[in-house]
Amino acid sequence: MFVQINWKPDKTVAIPLYLQIKHYIQTKIEDGEWTVGTKIPSQRKLAELFDVNRSTVVLAFDELIADGLLEAKSGKGTKVKNNLWSLFSSTHPTDWNSIVRKGIYQPNLPTIQDIHKVEPLPQFIRLGTGEPSPELFPQEMMTEILHRLSSKIQSLGYEEEKGLLPLREQLSIYLKSIGIQASPSSILVVSGALQALQLISLGLLKRGSNIFLERPSYLSSLNVFQSAAIGLQSISVDSEGFDIQYIKQQKKRQDASLLYTNPTFHNPTGYVMPLESREKLLQVCEDIQLPIVEDDVYRELWLDTPPPVPIKALDKNGTVLYLGSISKSLSPGLRIGWVVGPEPVIDRLADIKMQTDYGASSLSQWAVAEFLSSGFYDLHLEQMRNSLRIRRDLTLKVLEEKFTGIAEWKKPAGGFYIWLRLPSTISIRELFDTALKEGILLNPGNLYDPNSLHHLRLSYSYASKEQLQTGLNRLAEIIRKLLNKS
Amino acid sequence: MFVQINWKPDKTVAIPLYLQIKHYIQTKIEDGEWTVGTKIPSQRKLAELFDVNRSTVVLAFDELIADGLLEAKSGKGTKVKNNLWSLFSSTHPTDWNSIVRKGIYQPNLPTIQDIHKVEPLPQFIRLGTGEPSPELFPQEMMTEILHRLSSKIQSLGYEEEKGLLPLREQLSIYLKSIGIQASPSSILVVSGALQALQLISLGLLKRGSNIFLERPSYLSSLNVFQSAAIGLQSISVDSEGFDIQYIKQQKKRQDASLLYTNPTFHNPTGYVMPLESREKLLQVCEDIQLPIVEDDVYRELWLDTPPPVPIKALDKNGTVLYLGSISKSLSPGLRIGWVVGPEPVIDRLADIKMQTDYGASSLSQWAVAEFLSSGFYDLHLEQMRNSLRIRRDLTLKVLEEKFTGIAEWKKPAGGFYIWLRLPSTISIRELFDTALKEGILLNPGNLYDPNSLHHLRLSYSYASKEQLQTGLNRLAEIIRKLLNKS
């Protein structure tokens, strides 16, 4: 008995036919649909079924055999082979998938996977992507920086544990400009703020403890903490910031080990915590000995007036671990961020970083040090703010024109995001799927708060101005259509 | 009651006095010698005791106060404050420090910590360091590469999950040249081979299982696996490779989840597994369904004749995960390595990589792609082999002259290392300490095999030729002195 096949590769898409065929067969096997020993139709037969040349099927088979998924025996045809690695990967640590976040029901959203699959395809308009558009990349400055580095770099060895000293010196100067006193020895260079979170999860927190964070929060879209068996406990935020009474009451009961906040141009809401709320939060956290992790990667992207100082700038007792990065303000591809905190903590995190990847790319570290010391970074930030302001204002204009009555939003004072509230009759999953079919990639709000089923994270940072306009117009139409249907 | 102090900063070393003072006080507090509430002598008094300016003490105090270790109350002097972060970091996951490696007693060696502290100090001769000397860095080629990139790079965004496609395409071509068929989709770009090991530990292995590895092994000097609660089980190796009977017998009993091997110019012994042993090992591992991780980062550094093909090249069933890197052959600072394996495994590891650091530096990935596609990499490897050959032969000559009778070694056919066996009356710790005092940094063998108390890992890759000569001469004298003493 052969398997039934009523599928054909799609000749209208850019993916090579043999890869489509390979992927189809692979999925059948991985999903357990084609179990071990299943006989596969002959290559001739498949070529017919798939409406392709036989050589295309041969290519796909060759790779599947090399991967250990199929085996061909002469005279006996081709069979599904017991795949060592697929068996093997089913024995990964139980933590990884099975730890349930305390107090938050975490649905197993296929959305993030879908987003990752679609992102590399150029034909989609990405209305939620949280990275700077390639248009915003300072290509001329980078050219100049690379020229300078080419005469500056003598060799590229492993750097010091905490990162390239000239970069940490530049960061120390930069941090002073935003009110933070930090000597180079209290700064750790990391490969982006996400890695800082991973180091914290590995190095400072105990299994089974909880992190307090804003609801919604970027952190909720990540697995980094729950993979280390640490729970996430969302706390409501209003215009004054966190519900501080709740934090005080619940710290012990929830076994909270730190509070994570993104108080400046918050991802995904765009919220800015007022100075007074920062002071209060710090005071309470000091009192109850709850360390703060302040994620401040959007700080430089203010569009109207500079934001309040970082919480870290108010911190005289080493309560705050501060995270910064150039991923949002300059280039995510350089993969450079930093952590600032008391030296014992920085030492501990540096030690773990050395044990996991031996430090960030020296070439990237040199490039960022040069951006900072040359003054190019400041110059670039000015240009970046101007471009982002135009994008934000355009987005707000289209929202005003097309979304009045079908959505609510606030004007963000900086950063990338608008937190768009939709009518509760809209199914966020249906909206995502429908938009995807029409060439629009969305970031649904439940990535950032599993209980939030009526929000989208819009980003005006990534799509081109034309795409923003077209995409938002089309999105408004889709929403109206769905509203009429319901 | 004030604390007793009979210590002074060392004015002959390059470390700033205030940092020495800060470090001294910090250590006292961290070690629990100065407990919370301990009164610190006045700045005036300390300046006297330390024989420094008062402003130097003030600087140190300022940083200690900012770190939360000291507190100054007006009129009440300065006290040790309860440090939130030091309390905090004592609650790290129990795994991290307390998981004992099954079957291997792992002494808590202060040696690695010492090595890390000394490495940045330029006055030491590093006779064991496993990285290419800055002298071996192809500076002119790098200059040309950076020039080319400056006109090529349009923007530096997040790359695809598995890494920059042009790099994976180049790697696919390169891998073919060493006998490995791998399409770009079965290659994952990582930030060095160490990160690959971390991804494997996080993504593929279950807690409590064991890894089989060579005795000695580079892996024994790392915490990456036991931090994920995975044990290391060393297996003896002779000229024919692993004890295969033992692997067969013990696989189930030890709950072995994979076998790690570094079969080509092994770290730290320089050993090369013969082709026949590779075939046998693969056969057995296929039979007992024990996946192999082949760490092949020294392959290109052959000095006499090219080594046998990788085990991966013999693998028709997806049993082998293959690790490569340019850290040893070109530049560790670029932080670029790769993993090759069956697609489901590569997909899983790529997904984890995205969740921990969003991929390797794009700039580094572009640079390596350009090195490969331009032919510069091959050209550089030729130069590198020539330089390393000279270094190896010089080292062997000095060993012949000075170490005959006091040590045993084999001529390595490639890589960086010579595994030097010393007389059993020598205490490796005493040797390490004595050599350090004489300006020589050693890598003792017990880093790679806790039971091996009579070996050193020599490396001819890092120190300059003059340093190799001077350092080895001095080392021979030290050994003779210690032998005479015992």
Side-chain angles (χ1 to χ4, degrees), chain A residues 1 8 17 49 77 98 101 193 197 204 227 238 304 313 388 395 398 416 449 475-476 485:
Chain A
M1 273 286 288
K8 273 189 176 47
L17 296 176
L49 281 168
S98 74
R101 294 181 186 192
L197 297 174
L204 299 178
S227 296
D238 62 17
D304 303 321
L388 270 184
T395 304
V398 180
F416 288 169
D449 174 6
L475 179 62
K485 225 181 67 180

Side-chain angles (χ1 to χ4, degrees), chain A residues 22 81 85 93 317-318 343, chain B residues 22 81 85 93 205 317-318 343:
Chain A
K22 180 184 172 190
K81 188 177 169 179
W85 286 98
N317 299 295
E343 254 188 77
Chain B
K22 180 184 172 192
K81 189 179 167 179
W85 287 99
L205 303 182
N317 299 295
E343 254 189 78

Side-chain angles (χ1 to χ4, degrees), chain A residues 22 81 85 88 91 93 96 147 150 156 205-206 223 257 317-318 331 333 335 343 348 355 357 361-362 364, chain B residues 22 81 85 88 91 93 143 147 156 205-206 223 257 317-318 331 333 335 343 348 355 357 361-362 364:
Chain A
K22 180 184 172 190
K81 188 177 169 179
W85 286 98
F88 184 48
T91 62
W96 194 256
H147 276 271
S150 70
L156 290 171
L205 303 182
K206 67 168 193 274
N223 278 319
S257 51
N317 299 295
S331 152
R335 309 303 311 120
E343 254 188 77
R348 168 103 176 117
Q355 291 188 48
D357 70 1
S361 158
S362 302
S364 286
Chain B
K22 180 184 172 192
K81 189 179 167 179
W85 287 99
F88 184 48
T91 62
T143 302
H147 275 271
L156 290 170
L205 303 182
K206 66 168 193 272
N223 278 319
S257 50
N317 299 295
S331 152
R335 310 300 313 118
E343 254 189 78
R348 168 104 176 119
Q355 291 188 49
D357 71 0
S361 159
S362 302
S364 286

Side-chain angles (χ1 to χ4, degrees), chain B residues 210-279:
Chain B
N210 282 298
I211 291 177
F212 283 169
L213 72 167
E214 286 127 359
R215 173 186 303 137
S217 172
Y218 158 68
L219 214 55
S220 297
S221 69
L222 303 178
N223 278 319
V224 56
F225 285 103
Q226 86 264 44
S227 296
I230 294 154
L232 301 182
Q233 179 68 49
S234 303
I235 296 179
S236 337
V237 173
D238 62 17
S239 59
E240 300 301 304
F242 279 104
D243 180 344
I244 285 192
Q245 281 314 313
Y246 182 86
I247 291 176
K248 263 184 166 169
Q249 284 160 12
Q250 296 290 314
K251 191 231 168 186
K252 271 215 175 153
R253 194 180 297 175
Q254 307 276 355
D255 189 13
S257 50
L258 65 77
L259 178 136
Y260 169 87
T261 180
N262 173 204
T264 309
F265 313 129
H266 178 264
N267 177 3
T269 64
Y271 168 76
V272 179
M273 192 186 290
L275 179 60
E276 204 180 313
S277 310
R278 292 173 192 234
E279 288 164 343

